[in-house]
Amino acid sequence: MEYLTILGSTGSIGVSTLDVVARHPQRFGVVALTARSQVDLLYQQCCRFEPLYAVLLDEDAAEGLQARLLAAGASTLVLSGTSALEKVAALPEAGIVVAAIVGIAGLRATLSAARAGKKILLANKESLVTAGALFMSAVHDSGATLLPIDSEHNAIFQSMPPSSAGSLAERGVRRILLTASGGPFRTLSPARLAAVTPEEAVAHPNWVMGRKISVDSATMMNKGLEVIEAHWLFAAPPDVIEVVIHPQSVVHSLVEYCDGSVIAQLGNPDMRTPIAHALGYPQRIASGADFLDLARVGSLSFEAPDHSRFPCLRLAYDALRTGDSTVVGLNAANEVAVAEFLDRRIAYTDIPVVIEQVLEMTPARAVDSIEDVERIDRDARDLALAACAGLGAGRSARAG
Ligand code: NAD
Ligand code: MG
């Protein structure tokens, strides 16, 4: 048996992971499940998978869940708070940790799993984006294994040469091609973009995901974060990573070699495929995803991204080239701007404006500790909230 902890088990990735786990009861057991506040779903998951531990952020909510589980005869111990997340990420009972919390909120727990030498199935791209160097050195020092379950990075991982020794160029890799669907607004007239609603932005054409990553997909900040994620995962310089729009989301990404070969991974857009790939790795296990019917897909199309429509993509490339503190500022400003847009306090087209304003005020400098990352994150959040307030007030004044 292999035992796992899922950080963020009630989210889209967490639920898909448990769906795959449930298909292999002889192979996988669950040690810990965590959620921010979705008590009812966490309760159901605990009854079904009988983990040793469950974690909720809020202490009162954790006590309530503990009482319900005791009444149901379940032996799960319920913990609370962010330190409990770090604790369950490093438990000796679990060899696998699925990092599926959204945002920089997942950083400390994911890092705790890296320091404890776990096999980490990484969905929480923001932890690699904001603390890439610290995170990769923790993985290296502890002997942890890092397997990407972000579909593009999982596809790249599957398309890479078998040996990881040497640089990408030494291994014959010329380019990494990250595919992007282009999201729901790929063809919307630019004049209409200012008025799109949160409901329209989270309605992704191909994937069902959490709200934050859905908005990131619409702005293509998700692809920008993924360029940074690929940089750290595959030691790839920014110029080696290219983005190509592929609206069908069937080719999940590609690796181009110096001899002209291009190797890709294809499949239906279903996160259970990359999750099962990483859970079973190096074996292949069933995921529950439908098999790809190419004749039904019919045609696959590709186009270059339009940077004027998707300014967030350029902002992310620029931040990666500038480095450390700028990338933390980019992520923080994006998290705040997306949340403010979802709460209808700023317009969709304000998102890149907020990020750009924050980056102008965030000095570029090296980052040397997790506390330092958190400091820059806090400062950038304050700047972003002020920028949002300014934009929101400006819009109300114009509307009034
Ligand atoms: P989601 O919003 O559906 O779920 C997030 C999970 O994290 C939930 O369990 C929630 O309770 C927990 N959480 C949220 N805030 C928290 C906090 N402050 N502290 C502790 N726990 C918290 O998100 P998702 O779509 O599952 O995405 C999770 C991560 O996976 C993100 O980093 C996202 O970029 C990445 N990812 C998701 C997909 C996808 O298809 N959904 C694909 C690739 C990568
Ligand atoms: Mg992705």
Side-chain angles (χ1 to χ4, degrees):
M1 286 286 278
E2 291 183 78
Y3 291 93
L4 68 151
T5 284
I6 305 178
L7 305 168
S9 65
T10 54
S12 163
I13 292 288
V15 167
S16 293
T17 304
L18 284 172
D19 183 281
V20 178
V21 164
R23 291 165 196 276
H24 304 277
Q26 312 301 330
R27 179 162 180 157
F28 298 113
V30 177
V31 171
L33 298 174
T34 85
R36 180 179 47 189
S37 52
Q38 299 89 327
V39 186
D40 291 337
L41 181 52
L42 190 59
Y43 170 77
Q44 289 163 23
Q45 291 179 339
C46 288
C47 292
R48 170 105 197 258
F49 294 94
E50 301 177 344
L52 296 176
Y53 299 94
V55 180
L56 280 168
L57 280 193
D58 179 70
E59 198 179 330
D60 291 340
E63 277 175 22
L65 176 63
Q66 184 70 80
R68 281 172 74 185
L69 286 168
L70 278 174
S75 59
T76 302
L77 183 65
V78 185
L79 309 173
S80 64
T82 50
S83 59
L85 290 176
E86 288 179 65
K87 179 184 160 169
V88 298
L91 287 171
E93 292 92 337
I96 302 174
V97 173
V98 181
I101 292 175
V102 59
I104 198 173
L107 173 57
R108 279 196 177 248
T110 309
L111 196 60
S112 164
R115 289 181 175 144
K118 302 300 182 193
K119 170 172 160 177
I120 302 166
L121 274 53
L122 186 76
N124 176 222
K125 63 192 83 182
E126 296 90 346
S127 58
L128 207 47
V129 166
T130 54
L134 294 165
F135 191 83
M136 293 310 286
S137 75
V139 167
H140 182 261
D141 293 349
S142 70
T145 305
L146 189 55
L147 294 172
I149 54 177
D150 206 347
S151 57
E152 297 78 2
H153 304 75
N154 184 269
I156 295 162
F157 181 79
Q158 294 196 47
S159 306
M160 276 284 174
S163 158
S164 58
S167 68
L168 286 181
E170 283 162 353
R171 289 187 283 153
V173 173
R174 187 170 173 272
R175 273 190 312 170
I176 288 174
L177 294 161
L178 272 178
T179 52
S181 69
F185 308 138
R186 184 176 58 91
T187 55
L188 194 72
S189 81
R192 276 215 50 220
L193 279 178
V196 299
T197 63
E199 290 73 24
E200 290 171 308
V202 300
H204 196 279
N206 306 333
W207 299 95
V208 181
M209 308 183 287
R211 282 158 63 81
K212 189 256 179 186
I213 185 178
S214 297
V215 177
D216 285 351
S217 298
T219 62
M220 278 191 83
M221 180 54 90
N222 182 51
K223 212 49 53 180
L225 298 178
E226 290 185 355
V227 168
I228 303 169
E229 183 185 10
H231 163 75
W232 289 111
L233 282 172
F234 304 110
D239 296 341
V240 167
I241 310 165
E242 240 171 73
V243 172
V244 60
I245 305 256
H246 165 50
Q248 297 82 15
S249 300
V250 166
V251 179
H252 296 307
S253 277
L254 318 88
V255 175
E256 182 185 61
Y257 287 85
C258 59
D259 61 3
S261 301
V262 179
I263 310 283
Q265 184 256 358
L266 282 71
N268 279 318
D270 186 327
M271 287 308 293
R272 291 176 300 177
T273 296
I275 290 168
H277 170 266
L279 272 176
Y281 185 78
Q283 284 178 326
R284 296 277 178 176
I285 62 172
S287 69
D290 284 342
F291 293 101
L292 185 60
D293 181 342
L294 279 173
R296 224 173 83 194
V297 173
S299 57
L300 300 173
S301 58
F302 301 90
E303 65 199 39
D306 171 356
H307 284 281
S308 61
R309 178 182 289 271
F310 299 112
C312 287
L313 185 57
R314 172 63 56 216
L315 289 171
Y317 264 108
D318 289 348
L320 174 59
R321 290 195 175 95
T322 313
D324 290 15
S325 58
T326 314
V327 178
V328 179
L330 173 95
N331 180 72
N334 181 59
E335 287 193 24
V336 169
V338 169
E340 293 289 292
F341 164 67
L342 285 171
D343 285 344
R344 298 175 207 279
R345 280 192 283 271
I346 61 169
Y348 172 82
T349 42
D350 288 338
I351 295 173
V353 177
V354 170
I355 298 167
E356 203 156 8
Q357 286 185 8
V358 170
L359 291 183
E360 275 164 17
M361 289 184 278
T362 302
R365 64 172 179 84
V367 171
D368 57 15
S369 68
I370 209 69
E371 291 73 23
D372 206 12
V373 171
E374 289 173 343
R375 223 175 354 254
I376 299 164
D377 175 74
R378 268 195 308 274
D379 290 350
R381 278 170 195 274
D382 289 345
L383 291 170
L385 278 172
C388 289
L391 287 163
R395 282 197 304 117
S396 323
R398 280 194 299 280

PDB file of all heavy atoms in Angstrom, residues 168-181:
ATOM      1  N   LEU A 168      19.153  21.228 -20.491  1.00  0.00           N
ATOM      2  CA  LEU A 168      18.185  20.887 -21.545  1.00  0.00           C
ATOM      3  C   LEU A 168      18.887  20.811 -22.893  1.00  0.00           C
ATOM      4  O   LEU A 168      18.655  19.881 -23.680  1.00  0.00           O
ATOM      5  CB  LEU A 168      17.073  21.944 -21.606  1.00  0.00           C
ATOM      6  CG  LEU A 168      16.031  21.914 -20.496  1.00  0.00           C
ATOM      7  CD1 LEU A 168      14.996  23.007 -20.730  1.00  0.00           C
ATOM      8  CD2 LEU A 168      15.351  20.550 -20.397  1.00  0.00           C
ATOM      9  N   ALA A 169      19.785  21.777 -23.172  1.00  0.00           N
ATOM     10  CA  ALA A 169      20.481  21.797 -24.462  1.00  0.00           C
ATOM     11  C   ALA A 169      21.328  20.536 -24.617  1.00  0.00           C
ATOM     12  O   ALA A 169      21.342  19.911 -25.691  1.00  0.00           O
ATOM     13  CB  ALA A 169      21.349  23.039 -24.566  1.00  0.00           C
ATOM     14  N   GLU A 170      22.001  20.140 -23.542  1.00  0.00           N
ATOM     15  CA  GLU A 170      22.831  18.920 -23.612  1.00  0.00           C
ATOM     16  C   GLU A 170      21.976  17.676 -23.869  1.00  0.00           C
ATOM     17  O   GLU A 170      22.443  16.690 -24.429  1.00  0.00           O
ATOM     18  CB  GLU A 170      23.617  18.740 -22.306  1.00  0.00           C
ATOM     19  CG  GLU A 170      24.823  19.671 -22.212  1.00  0.00           C
ATOM     20  CD  GLU A 170      25.339  19.829 -20.779  1.00  0.00           C
ATOM     21  OE1 GLU A 170      24.686  19.323 -19.830  1.00  0.00           O
ATOM     22  OE2 GLU A 170      26.366  20.482 -20.623  1.00  0.00           O
ATOM     23  N   ARG A 171      20.740  17.749 -23.464  1.00  0.00           N
ATOM     24  CA  ARG A 171      19.847  16.595 -23.678  1.00  0.00           C
ATOM     25  C   ARG A 171      19.096  16.703 -24.998  1.00  0.00           C
ATOM     26  O   ARG A 171      18.201  15.922 -25.278  1.00  0.00           O
ATOM     27  CB  ARG A 171      18.871  16.470 -22.501  1.00  0.00           C
ATOM     28  CG  ARG A 171      19.589  16.001 -21.229  1.00  0.00           C
ATOM     29  CD  ARG A 171      18.621  15.706 -20.125  1.00  0.00           C
ATOM     30  NE  ARG A 171      18.124  16.909 -19.491  1.00  0.00           N
ATOM     31  CZ  ARG A 171      16.953  17.002 -18.879  1.00  0.00           C
ATOM     32  NH1 ARG A 171      16.144  15.968 -18.842  1.00  0.00           N
ATOM     33  NH2 ARG A 171      16.578  18.114 -18.320  1.00  0.00           N
ATOM     34  N   GLY A 172      19.442  17.705 -25.786  1.00  0.00           N
ATOM     35  CA  GLY A 172      18.871  17.815 -27.133  1.00  0.00           C
ATOM     36  C   GLY A 172      17.556  18.570 -27.198  1.00  0.00           C
ATOM     37  O   GLY A 172      16.910  18.620 -28.235  1.00  0.00           O
ATOM     38  N   VAL A 173      17.142  19.198 -26.062  1.00  0.00           N
ATOM     39  CA  VAL A 173      15.857  19.913 -26.060  1.00  0.00           C
ATOM     40  C   VAL A 173      16.072  21.337 -26.580  1.00  0.00           C
ATOM     41  O   VAL A 173      16.926  22.070 -26.092  1.00  0.00           O
ATOM     42  CB  VAL A 173      15.261  19.959 -24.637  1.00  0.00           C
ATOM     43  CG1 VAL A 173      14.014  20.840 -24.600  1.00  0.00           C
ATOM     44  CG2 VAL A 173      14.933  18.552 -24.156  1.00  0.00           C
ATOM     45  N   ARG A 174      15.309  21.708 -27.582  1.00  0.00           N
ATOM     46  CA  ARG A 174      15.422  23.053 -28.151  1.00  0.00           C
ATOM     47  C   ARG A 174      14.386  24.003 -27.573  1.00  0.00           C
ATOM     48  O   ARG A 174      14.685  25.144 -27.247  1.00  0.00           O
ATOM     49  CB  ARG A 174      15.267  22.941 -29.675  1.00  0.00           C
ATOM     50  CG  ARG A 174      15.525  24.234 -30.397  1.00  0.00           C
ATOM     51  CD  ARG A 174      15.612  24.028 -31.899  1.00  0.00           C
ATOM     52  NE  ARG A 174      15.690  25.334 -32.540  1.00  0.00           N
ATOM     53  CZ  ARG A 174      14.648  26.066 -32.903  1.00  0.00           C
ATOM     54  NH1 ARG A 174      13.417  25.605 -32.719  1.00  0.00           N
ATOM     55  NH2 ARG A 174      14.804  27.248 -33.455  1.00  0.00           N
ATOM     56  N   ARG A 175      13.150  23.529 -27.463  1.00  0.00           N
ATOM     57  CA  ARG A 175      12.074  24.391 -26.948  1.00  0.00           C
ATOM     58  C   ARG A 175      11.073  23.570 -26.153  1.00  0.00           C
ATOM     59  O   ARG A 175      10.849  22.389 -26.453  1.00  0.00           O
ATOM     60  CB  ARG A 175      11.292  25.027 -28.116  1.00  0.00           C
ATOM     61  CG  ARG A 175      11.854  26.305 -28.653  1.00  0.00           C
ATOM     62  CD  ARG A 175      10.907  26.978 -29.628  1.00  0.00           C
ATOM     63  NE  ARG A 175      10.384  26.046 -30.648  1.00  0.00           N
ATOM     64  CZ  ARG A 175       9.401  26.335 -31.496  1.00  0.00           C
ATOM     65  NH1 ARG A 175       8.808  27.515 -31.441  1.00  0.00           N
ATOM     66  NH2 ARG A 175       8.982  25.456 -32.392  1.00  0.00           N
ATOM     67  N   ILE A 176      10.450  24.244 -25.197  1.00  0.00           N
ATOM     68  CA  ILE A 176       9.284  23.674 -24.514  1.00  0.00           C
ATOM     69  C   ILE A 176       8.082  24.469 -25.012  1.00  0.00           C
ATOM     70  O   ILE A 176       8.092  25.705 -24.963  1.00  0.00           O
ATOM     71  CB  ILE A 176       9.447  23.808 -22.986  1.00  0.00           C
ATOM     72  CG1 ILE A 176      10.519  22.831 -22.479  1.00  0.00           C
ATOM     73  CG2 ILE A 176       8.119  23.567 -22.282  1.00  0.00           C
ATOM     74  CD1 ILE A 176      10.848  22.998 -21.002  1.00  0.00           C
ATOM     75  N   LEU A 177       7.075  23.787 -25.508  1.00  0.00           N
ATOM     76  CA  LEU A 177       5.881  24.470 -26.026  1.00  0.00           C
ATOM     77  C   LEU A 177       4.715  24.208 -25.079  1.00  0.00           C
ATOM     78  O   LEU A 177       4.223  23.077 -24.973  1.00  0.00           O
ATOM     79  CB  LEU A 177       5.552  23.951 -27.424  1.00  0.00           C
ATOM     80  CG  LEU A 177       6.619  24.303 -28.468  1.00  0.00           C
ATOM     81  CD1 LEU A 177       6.503  23.406 -29.688  1.00  0.00           C
ATOM     82  CD2 LEU A 177       6.488  25.758 -28.880  1.00  0.00           C
ATOM     83  N   LEU A 178       4.331  25.268 -24.367  1.00  0.00           N
ATOM     84  CA  LEU A 178       3.205  25.157 -23.430  1.00  0.00           C
ATOM     85  C   LEU A 178       1.930  25.489 -24.179  1.00  0.00           C
ATOM     86  O   LEU A 178       1.811  26.592 -24.728  1.00  0.00           O
ATOM     87  CB  LEU A 178       3.354  26.211 -22.338  1.00  0.00           C
ATOM     88  CG  LEU A 178       4.135  25.968 -21.067  1.00  0.00           C
ATOM     89  CD1 LEU A 178       4.124  27.232 -20.223  1.00  0.00           C
ATOM     90  CD2 LEU A 178       3.546  24.826 -20.275  1.00  0.00           C
ATOM     91  N   THR A 179       0.980  24.600 -24.190  1.00  0.00           N
ATOM     92  CA  THR A 179      -0.283  24.926 -24.854  1.00  0.00           C
ATOM     93  C   THR A 179      -1.219  25.641 -23.877  1.00  0.00           C
ATOM     94  O   THR A 179      -1.176  25.439 -22.667  1.00  0.00           O
ATOM     95  CB  THR A 179      -0.982  23.677 -25.422  1.00  0.00           C
ATOM     96  OG1 THR A 179      -1.091  22.709 -24.382  1.00  0.00           O
ATOM     97  CG2 THR A 179      -0.210  23.095 -26.584  1.00  0.00           C
ATOM     98  N   ALA A 180      -2.068  26.490 -24.455  1.00  0.00           N
ATOM     99  CA  ALA A 180      -3.046  27.261 -23.677  1.00  0.00           C
ATOM    100  C   ALA A 180      -4.347  27.263 -24.461  1.00  0.00           C
ATOM    101  O   ALA A 180      -4.335  27.449 -25.679  1.00  0.00           O
ATOM    102  CB  ALA A 180      -2.548  28.692 -23.513  1.00  0.00           C
ATOM    103  N   SER A 181      -5.454  27.096 -23.774  1.00  0.00           N
ATOM    104  CA  SER A 181      -6.734  27.069 -24.500  1.00  0.00           C
ATOM    105  C   SER A 181      -7.109  28.461 -25.014  1.00  0.00           C
ATOM    106  O   SER A 181      -7.848  28.598 -25.974  1.00  0.00           O
ATOM    107  CB  SER A 181      -7.848  26.567 -23.589  1.00  0.00           C
ATOM    108  OG  SER A 181      -8.089  27.544 -22.596  1.00  0.00           O
TER     109      SER A 181
END
